[in-house]
Amino acid sequence: MTLSLQQLAPDVCAAPQLTPTDMAAVAAAGFKSVINNRPDGEGGPDQPKSADIEAAARAAGLQYVHLPVNPTVQTPEEIARFAELLQTLPRPVLAFCRSGGRCTRLFQAATSR
């Protein structure tokens, strides 16, 4: 499995939707933490549930946080929480959503404060 990653910082990347089966590859790529910015059910019934991704992430030795964010609007509270996660989670960090776009916007907003 090849991870499609966008480098946001030396130790922070964004990715499109990940699945439970991707978590072993995420860990093998050297990541220590995963942030899921996609609300459960946003993509319909075929979208993996956060709880299933979390179980696989933890089994692979990864820290996991679900911070569901609307694709079009990120609130100041969500941006502040993302900034806090960037400060506290073990790095490198991989954030994902449907396309990686909202993770990128969150990162930019959180690091420009």
Side-chain angles (χ1 to χ4, degrees):
M1 187 230 113
T2 302
L3 295 172
S4 175
L5 303 176
Q6 178 181 354
Q7 192 89 33
L8 303 178
D11 53 2
V12 180
C13 290
Q17 179 69 58
L18 297 173
T19 66
T21 57
D22 293 330
M23 292 301 109
V26 169
F31 289 96
K32 303 289 183 214
S33 304
V34 175
I35 303 171
N36 176 359
N37 291 132
R38 195 159 192 211
D40 270 347
E42 176 185 78
D46 292 336
Q47 177 185 330
K49 293 196 180 347
S50 177
D52 296 334
I53 301 169
E54 179 176 11
R58 295 202 185 279
L62 297 162
Q63 294 287 316
Y64 179 91
V65 177
H66 189 208
L67 176 62
V69 175
N70 183 293
T72 55
V73 177
Q74 290 82 51
T75 68
E77 294 79 13
E78 291 164 342
I79 293 165
R81 177 69 176 135
F82 193 82
E84 177 187 325
L85 293 172
L86 290 176
Q87 293 298 315
T88 59
L89 286 173
R91 291 185 181 222
V93 174
L94 177 58
F96 76 92
C97 57
R98 186 189 63 77
S99 68
R102 90 188 77 168
C103 299
T104 301
R105 289 189 298 279
L106 275 168
F107 177 82
Q108 290 168 341
T111 57
S112 69
R113 301 162 9 112

